[in-house]
Amino acid sequence: MSAMKTINSIGSIASFAGTADEALYVALDEPDEWLSFSQQRDQSHEWESRLGIEGMHCAACALSVEKALKSVHGVLSADVNATSGRARLTWSANVTKPSDWIRAVSRAGYRALPAADAFIQDDRRKNQRLMLWRLLVAGFCMMQVMMYAMPSYYASPGEMTAEALNLMRWASWILTIPVLLFSCGPFFNNALNDLKQHQISMDMPVTLGILITFLVSTAATFEPTGWWGSEVYFDSLTMFVFFLLTGRWIELRMRDRTAGALDTLMRRLPSSVERLRSDGNFERIAVRNLNVGDLVRVLPGEAFPADGTIMLGTTSADEALLTGESRPVNKVVSAEVIAGSYNLNASVQVRVDKIGQSTRYAQIVALMERVAVDKPRLALLADRIARPFLLAVLFAAVGSAIILWHVDHSRALMAAVAVLIVTCPCALSLATPSAMLTVSGALARSGVLVRRMQALEALTTIDTVVFDKTGTLTEDKMKVGAIATGVSLSEMQALQIAAALAQYSLHPVSRALVEASKKYPISDVNLEIANVQEVSGSGLMANSIYGNLKLGSEQFCALDNALLNDDISKVHLVSEQGWLASFEIVEAIKPDAAAAICALRDAGIQVEVLSGDQAASVTNITEKLGIKTYTALCTPQEKLARLQSLQEQGHRVAMVGDGLNDGPVLASAHVSIAMGQAVPLAQAQSDFVVMGGQLAMVPHLITQAKRTMRIVKQNLIWAAAYNAVCVPLAVVGLLPAWLAGLGMALSSLLVILNAARLSRSSVIVLGSV
């Protein structure tokens, strides 16, 4: 009865805390607040929101939160990851509001807050401090209880009087009360919520084990002649509570480190910034009140609040976490700056060009949050077996008690407790996501974003890597060389017409044309362009006063080969009347390309190049890099056909490209990798995005994927072996309760510590690249 009162009192405290959060929940119903943690889908009433969930410890907890979210009318989908403590849901603003689904999570016994909310960090620190206090109380009481229990273990028969033994037991009982009322609070609270929701999580068998042990020991203390026997287990109870809390506390710290890259990214934006007023003075305003076109002053040590252009001053910026560039980047007038990067040297004035979800910083955060809730195939399998596993644990505990009841009632009860405590689906459910999240966080700190967790597993089987040439093997920034024109246009006019089309494309050649046109003054050429269409992998076409224009390859422009010099890479401009101009494109091989190709070959991986460029240009690049298999003048359809041909031959193919062109090829490859900073991350059709464009990251990704899967397999083997050995021992009563608690804590802890090795290895390897 007293134990049930304890559970109910803890539930009341949780209820009071939930009432205190009510004002925060209602505030989140304001549409102006949604953009801080949500994205609207295609101007519809559907929103995708990201949440941080507090209080989850295992896969069953994540399933409980998912169930609570999906039960809300208007929530269209929900995904929850217990390891990262993140949730992603899609909901209709016409049907529900954030307070509805946050309350649903609260009713299920957990706490939800917007993922970008500063309170999440405060809550985590408070939870860690509270968990540490629970651990310290359990540890202190455990040592005192052990001090009172030891004499009864070592005393010879008749050496201790019955009164002395009774006194020791009463002292142990009193010292166990704080452990039960305070230290065991999280277990009891979650078990009570499980009962309310008619579900089961890892804390249910733990709570049953604690209560059975306490009640049996209490009964033996008050009435040692009863059927329950005269043995007390206060030392075992306090010991396994201490071990469980130790494991949970270390697990909590390690999980924070696992999700550290995402949290660090989300805290990079400043809360306020100085904006120029109409009277020429600066005022400090909240970053969310910025508008495109505002002029802001960013001081040394502050982060840039938005994507923008420097209008006054020079400085250097730290973009390491956003682009993978470890060295400071010099920034002068007209240079672009990225939201979330740090101003290092001097005060500068910046014109705001992009704000909110349109910034590259917001796109990076959105991708990392998506990864934080993504579940690999093995993790989904572990989630599916978590709840049936827990039910089997309960049946095994009952079966063990029944089998041993006729031998010794006390031993039967303790065997049931050991079964409840020792079985640990946590290790199984943590085996895959802990490793995957650790390596994705380490890669993110190195400038590589993982868009799809399943791709890490697929990357281990790759035997062929196919590269695009332009902007992938070659430098992202090309240059325009010689310009040939017809009699009707000058070089400047031809370049400005071509740039007017090229500004609608992100292809490296298009950017080179736009950049080259800036050195000429604005002319009287009519540059009105309409109905611009980009034909992927071929070129651009549009309507103008010159008629229908085309800018692209010789095949796209339908030019006679006799007019061309095939030894030089060119892009051409034609109208309905015929050829207007040709532009020589000069490109350089990336400095790390040769080393990356060599590393892939050394790993036994075939390398191939598929390019839409001219044969001479492709041959020149592949010969310098030692690539023997290549195809030039490929249309996107021909690239796709070649990729499918490789797959039909049994090859596992990874495609490395610019992330925008060749969409069908990237989508059809077993693994796709987008290179370069110019890729709009929300549009990139790839599994990985290398933000700095370093080719050395391709072999490193494959190496890290293989190491990750080795760690995952080690974790799964350990978790399965642990349960296979310990459960039978517990069922037959050969495993004491305190040792069961230690085993359960260590099983989860070893899985997380093993996964943490990936973070260290990533840093070492990256440092040597």
Side-chain angles (χ1 to χ4, degrees):
M1 185 65 70
S2 62
M4 289 306 297
K5 286 181 179 178
T6 300
I7 296 179
N8 287 326
S9 65
I10 294 169
S12 299
I13 293 171
S15 176
F16 176 78
T19 304
D21 289 334
E22 188 65 24
L24 175 62
Y25 298 165
V26 174
L28 293 175
D29 286 344
E30 294 295 328
D32 292 341
E33 298 288 338
W34 296 352
L35 286 174
S36 65
F37 62 97
S38 307
Q39 286 180 303
Q40 192 172 10
R41 288 193 163 186
D42 303 325
Q43 304 300 316
S44 67
H45 294 288
E46 291 184 8
W47 290 74
E48 183 180 288
S49 296
R50 301 167 297 278
L51 299 173
I53 308 294
E54 295 291 337
M56 295 190 298
H57 302 289
C58 63
C61 296
L63 293 175
S64 298
V65 176
E66 280 188 13
K67 180 181 176 182
L69 289 170
K70 291 176 179 178
S71 68
V72 178
H73 183 56
V75 172
L76 307 177
S77 66
D79 296 290
V80 182
N81 190 308
T83 306
S84 64
R86 300 279 172 174
R88 181 181 69 234
L89 70 155
T90 306
W91 53 284
S92 172
N94 286 341
V95 182
T96 186
K97 294 291 185 289
S99 61
D100 296 333
W101 30 266
I102 290 180
R103 284 194 193 98
V105 174
S106 180
R107 285 193 297 270
Y110 305 90
R111 189 160 187 252
L113 281 175
D117 201 311
F119 289 115
I120 285 186
Q121 299 304 318
D122 293 336
D123 276 0
R124 282 185 175 176
R125 283 191 290 269
K126 289 177 182 176
N127 287 338
Q128 284 187 6
R129 284 196 296 268
L130 182 58
M131 181 68 77
L132 184 57
W133 273 110
R134 296 185 195 276
L135 175 62
L136 292 175
V137 168
F140 175 79
C141 292
M142 176 197 70
M143 289 187 291
Q144 297 304 310
V145 170
M146 287 300 297
M147 183 178 69
Y148 289 122
M150 290 300 289
S152 64
Y153 293 145
Y154 291 102
S156 302
E159 192 173 344
M160 283 186 67
T161 64
E163 290 78 9
L165 186 60
N166 237 2
L167 182 62
M168 299 285 188
R169 290 184 172 186
W170 275 97
S172 297
W173 182 79
I174 291 171
L175 286 167
T176 304
I177 296 297
V179 176
L180 195 74
L181 295 179
F182 179 65
S183 298
C184 294
F187 308 128
F188 292 162
N189 190 36
N190 291 338
L192 180 62
N193 288 319
D194 286 343
L195 291 175
K196 290 179 179 178
Q197 301 295 322
H198 306 292
Q199 59 195 20
I200 185 171
S201 71
M202 192 58 239
D203 286 328
M204 177 64 77
V206 169
T207 297
L208 289 174
I210 291 171
L211 289 178
I212 291 171
T213 306
F214 179 75
L215 292 175
V216 169
S217 300
T218 299
T221 300
F222 282 88
E223 183 55 60
T225 60
W227 59 264
W228 43 79
S230 60
E231 291 293 328
V232 296
Y233 303 95
F234 296 121
D235 53 341
S236 293
L237 188 152
T238 53
M239 196 179 296
F240 71 65
V241 169
F242 174 74
F243 288 146
L244 289 178
L245 288 175
T246 300
R248 288 248 173 128
W249 183 72
I250 297 175
E251 187 180 322
L252 192 64
R253 297 294 301 270
M254 294 301 297
R255 284 185 180 183
D256 283 349
R257 284 185 56 188
T258 298
L262 176 57
D263 292 335
T264 302
L265 262 181
M266 296 181 69
R267 293 195 300 270
R268 285 181 77 90
L269 280 190
S271 58
S272 62
V273 68
E274 293 183 351
R275 181 176 65 180
L276 184 65
R277 296 190 312 201
S278 56
D279 61 4
N281 295 318
F282 285 91
E283 62 175 345
R284 186 160 286 275
I285 64 166
V287 167
R288 64 181 179 181
N289 292 331
L290 283 177
N291 296 306
V292 174
D294 284 348
L295 193 67
V296 298
R297 180 168 62 189
V298 182
L299 304 176
E302 289 185 336
F304 291 99
D307 290 354
T309 304
I310 292 183
M311 307 302 293
L312 180 64
T314 59
T315 186
S316 59
D318 177 9
E319 299 179 349
L321 203 58
L322 300 171
T323 67
E325 176 55 62
S326 59
R327 294 169 296 183
V329 181
N330 292 327
K331 299 292 182 181
V332 297
V333 174
S334 299
E336 295 181 351
V337 294
I338 307 172
S341 60
Y342 281 106
N343 179 18
L344 297 179
N345 295 340
S347 173
V348 291
Q349 293 185 19
V350 178
R351 183 191 68 219
V352 175
D353 296 334
K354 294 179 181 179
I355 58 175
Q357 299 299 321
S358 62
T359 64
R360 186 173 182 83
Y361 165 82
Q363 295 171 3
I364 292 172
V365 170
L367 283 184
M368 291 190 66
E369 285 178 330
R370 186 163 298 170
V371 169
V373 296
D374 196 12
K375 295 179 182 178
R377 179 178 55 84
L378 291 173
L380 291 171
L381 177 61
D383 286 356
R384 282 197 295 270
I385 68 173
R387 206 159 262 167
F389 185 90
L390 289 172
L391 290 172
V393 167
L394 295 180
F395 284 118
V398 172
S400 177
I402 292 173
I403 293 170
L404 297 175
W405 189 259
H406 68 283
V407 178
D408 185 338
H409 297 344
S410 179
R411 181 184 172 189
L413 290 173
M414 286 304 99
V417 168
V419 173
L420 292 170
I421 298 296
V422 76
T423 48
C424 187
C426 297
L428 284 171
S429 61
L430 288 172
T432 302
S434 60
M436 294 290 192
L437 283 172
T438 299
V439 76
S440 64
L443 289 172
R445 289 191 294 271
S446 306
V448 181
L449 296 183
V450 182
R451 287 177 56 94
R452 193 172 64 92
M453 282 288 199
Q454 301 275 14
L456 280 169
E457 188 177 348
L459 202 55
T460 62
T461 63
I462 293 301
D463 60 20
T464 304
V465 176
V466 176
F467 288 93
D468 183 28
K469 179 183 75 71
T470 305
T472 302
L473 292 173
T474 59
E475 290 286 2
D476 197 36
K477 290 187 178 180
M478 299 179 172
K479 294 181 180 179
V480 175
I483 302 176
T485 65
V487 294
S488 59
L489 293 175
S490 67
E491 287 188 10
M492 181 185 70
Q493 291 172 330
L495 185 58
Q496 290 185 338
I497 294 171
L501 269 75
Q503 66 180 322
Y504 293 96
S505 171
L506 289 172
H507 193 279
V509 172
S510 297
R511 293 200 301 275
L513 290 169
V514 172
E515 191 65 29
S517 70
K518 292 180 180 178
K519 66 182 180 182
Y520 291 107
I522 298 175
S523 68
D524 57 356
V525 176
N526 190 332
L527 301 178
E528 290 185 8
I529 302 293
N531 301 325
V532 179
Q533 297 179 41
E534 182 170 10
V535 180
S536 180
S538 298
L540 295 153
M541 54 185 180
N543 297 330
S544 71
I545 61 169
Y546 301 97
N548 293 328
L549 293 178
K550 285 186 175 182
L551 176 70
S553 64
E554 60 186 82
Q555 291 81 9
F556 180 66
C557 295
L559 290 176
D560 186 352
N561 288 334
L563 297 174
L564 307 173
N565 181 354
D566 285 338
D567 293 331
I568 300 174
S569 179
K570 292 182 179 180
V571 63
H572 311 281
L573 178 68
V574 299
S575 68
E576 292 175 327
Q577 286 73 40
W579 174 77
L580 295 178
S582 293
F583 307 90
E584 180 183 336
I585 302 300
V586 180
E587 56 186 346
I589 298 174
K590 287 183 177 179
D592 61 346
I597 300 302
C598 183
L600 289 172
R601 281 202 300 263
D602 289 345
I605 296 174
Q606 299 179 35
V607 179
E608 186 169 332
V609 173
L610 297 178
S611 175
D613 230 340
Q614 296 179 18
S617 175
V618 178
T619 302
N620 178 46
I621 297 296
T622 54
E623 285 181 350
K624 289 180 179 178
L625 294 176
I627 300 173
K628 298 180 180 180
T629 307
Y630 61 89
T631 308
L633 298 173
C634 285
T635 65
Q637 291 75 22
E638 289 170 338
K639 288 184 180 181
L640 180 60
R642 174 57 182 165
L643 182 77
Q644 291 172 339
S645 173
L646 287 170
Q647 291 173 332
E648 288 171 359
Q649 295 170 27
H651 292 288
R652 302 283 295 180
V653 184
M655 177 72 193
V656 185
D658 61 13
L660 275 177
N661 296 317
D662 309 324
V665 185
L666 288 168
S668 299
H670 294 108
V671 177
S672 53
I673 304 170
M675 308 293 289
Q677 290 180 251
V679 182
L681 300 179
Q683 302 175 28
Q685 302 297 312
S686 61
D687 300 316
F688 302 93
V689 179
V690 182
M691 292 183 288
Q694 304 97 328
L695 283 170
M697 291 307 302
V698 176
H700 174 64
L701 266 174
I702 296 174
T703 301
Q704 281 301 100
K706 290 179 178 179
R707 293 195 76 255
T708 301
M709 293 313 298
R710 281 200 300 269
I711 294 291
V712 168
K713 289 175 182 177
Q714 290 169 7
N715 286 347
L716 289 172
I717 290 171
W718 156 250
Y722 162 78
N723 283 287
V725 172
C726 293
V727 173
L729 292 176
V731 168
V732 297
L734 297 179
L735 195 69
W738 67 268
L739 189 55
L742 177 61
M744 178 186 176
L746 286 178
S747 63
S748 297
L749 190 56
L750 286 175
V751 163
I752 294 175
L753 290 174
N754 194 33
R757 295 192 298 135
L758 289 167
S759 179
R760 293 193 295 273
S761 66
S762 294
V763 174
I764 292 171
V765 175
L766 284 169
S768 63
V769 169

